[in-house]
Amino acid sequence: MYLRRIVVVVLLSHCVWQLLSVSIVSGNAVFRVQHKFRGREKPLSLSELKAHDDRRHGRMLSAIDLPLGGDSNPGDTGLYFTKIRIGIPSKDHHVQVDTGSDILWVSCAGCDKCPTKSDLGIELTLYDPKGSSSAKMVGCGASECSMIHSSTISGCKPDMPCNYQVTYGDGSSSAGYIVQDYVHYDRVSENFQTTMVNGSVVFGCGAKLDGQLSSSSNALDGIMGFGQKNSSMLSQLAAAGKVKKAFSHCLDGEKGGGIFAIGEVVQPKLNTTPLIAEMNHYNVVMKSIEVAGNVIKSFGYFSSHKAAIIDSGTTLAYLPGAIYEQVMLAILSKQPGLQLETVKEQFRCFQYNKNVDDGFPTVKFHFENSLTLTVYPHEYLFEIHDEMWCVGWQNSALQSKGGNEVTLLGDMVLSNKLVFYDLVNQGIGWTEYNCSSSIKVKDNGSGAEYTVGAKDISSAGSLILAISSTFSLGLFATLFIILHWI
């Protein structure tokens, strides 16, 4: 897969309270999200692909049935990061966008072991509450502290700060205290016209980092979680009546453009399948898989209502061992003369000099409520060098210490589809879509609808131009929209 993307974000809100950042578009605010693996002339090396997913799944695949706490592996977990602006006067901070974790935190002044440079080619900035006239400390007895911790704090005394600590699957951690400050964003008043406003957000001020988080490799200023807990930015905004608790993404696997929207998308229409309750990840029930129109033998796996995890932060796609073998056999049987070789101990690769969409079959996943996810050959096959192709499907039993059987569908199969997470009605849906085109979004406060196109973002404002200057390697505009909701 050509994993180069930038995402821009849009918000819709009438009041000042809490939110993320920057730029311009429809609805009411925008910030730009950059793909970590942007600007590559060739697809990622197999080592990079595998290393990314290994770090992300350090605990996900080995303890899939255990409570995960909503925290994902930060070392290389998310594929996307964005620049947000915090405080008065505002300063820029680069944070990872992650659907596998919940709270927003940034490294703070005086931080122990916080990296001072990043291999991503960005300038890191420590947040200093003392340097912002709008910053407020959150005490341990405050309701905001209880919201972050999902409970009251035992042993709390007057004037004690609200502390936090997030420990991730690889042993990395961020610890510090909770603050509240303004985040600045553009409010959309008409189609593609915005006004700068700000909102107050509760987030973590990182005083100490350990493990991979302290390394300059892929270092960022923090992590912004898009999980389902009350502490996430999305949940905070929804609780304040600023947005509907829903978001969508549409990532163009060919051109790198796309859309990432928070709130209600009214066009195109999408059907949904239920999210499995009481899960920390976005899990759904998969009914069957078919290759070239033939249903794959499931060995009873689907009849037991096993969950499939939808995770755009994973690069590839992982299937239970027996099903993986059936899928691979069905795909490769269409080209019996291929000479297969194993690369990096697990990727099945081959030479092929024709159009892969003509020579290989589509793969379809069927879910509850008759929802289907179709994956085309050019999406599950990737070229590592001239005419050498590798298969993106992976055996999940080989990825975990205990050989757990899990289905995890990542960026490879989600590209070129608009994926909608409806957390109000606990459903997730998708449809095939041209992610470089436009969508129609609704301002639920006024009822107005706006058409927003990813192509309209790249020259939309000074912030975007500044970001394009910072990230000079092959940037593609994508749109992240947050819609007002009452």
Side-chain angles (χ1 to χ4, degrees), residues 62-134:
S62 62
I64 199 67
D65 295 323
L66 299 178
L68 301 180
D71 295 324
S72 54
N73 189 331
D76 221 1
T77 335
L79 292 175
Y80 308 97
F81 63 90
T82 188
K83 181 191 289 186
I84 62 175
R85 296 157 67 186
I86 304 175
I88 298 179
S90 64
K91 293 186 178 180
D92 297 333
H93 302 271
H94 295 88
V95 294
Q96 175 179 304
V97 177
D98 183 25
T99 59
S101 62
D102 293 286
I103 74 166
L104 164 66
W105 63 264
V106 294
S107 300
C108 283
C111 175
D112 181 20
K113 299 182 180 179
C114 283
T116 57
K117 61 180 181 179
S118 172
D119 293 346
L120 294 173
I122 59 176
E123 182 178 351
L124 300 180
T125 303
L126 295 176
Y127 169 73
D128 186 359
K130 295 181 179 179
S132 171
S133 62
S134 53

Side-chain angles (χ1 to χ4, degrees), residues 17 138-139 141-149 162 178 180 202 236:
W17 197 73
V138 175
S143 60
E144 293 85 355
C145 187
S146 298
M147 178 266 295
I148 291 292
H149 289 277
C162 177
I178 301 298
Q180 187 173 15
V202 176
Q236 289 188 47

Side-chain angles (χ1 to χ4, degrees), residues 18-20 102 224-240 243-247 262-263 282 421 423 482:
Q18 61 202 91
L19 220 11
L20 25 165
D102 293 286
M224 181 167 60
F226 271 85
Q228 301 186 57
K229 289 188 175 181
N230 292 336
S231 54
S232 74
M233 182 73 68
L234 176 61
S235 295
Q236 289 188 47
L237 291 172
V243 300
K244 186 173 182 178
K245 196 173 181 180
F247 66 96
I262 293 180
Y282 295 109
Y421 302 76
L423 304 185
I482 303 179

Side-chain angles (χ1 to χ4, degrees), residues 32-48:
R32 190 178 189 99
V33 180
Q34 166 72 49
H35 198 289
K36 280 188 176 181
F37 300 135
R38 71 208 183 280
R40 305 297 178 89
E41 293 300 321
K42 286 289 185 179
L44 294 179
S45 72
L46 298 183
S47 297
E48 287 177 300

Side-chain angles (χ1 to χ4, degrees), residues 155-200:
C156 177
K157 298 180 180 179
D159 300 325
M160 284 181 59
C162 177
N163 295 321
Y164 82 93
Q165 178 169 344
V166 183
T167 301
Y168 299 89
D170 66 345
S172 297
S173 65
S174 169
Y177 50 93
I178 301 298
V179 298
Q180 187 173 15
D181 205 346
Y182 286 121
V183 179
H184 305 264
Y185 58 93
D186 288 325
R187 173 184 172 186
V188 179
S189 53
E190 297 180 26
N191 286 340
F192 313 114
Q193 296 186 20
T194 64
T195 302
M196 179 64 73
V197 294
N198 57 33
S200 182

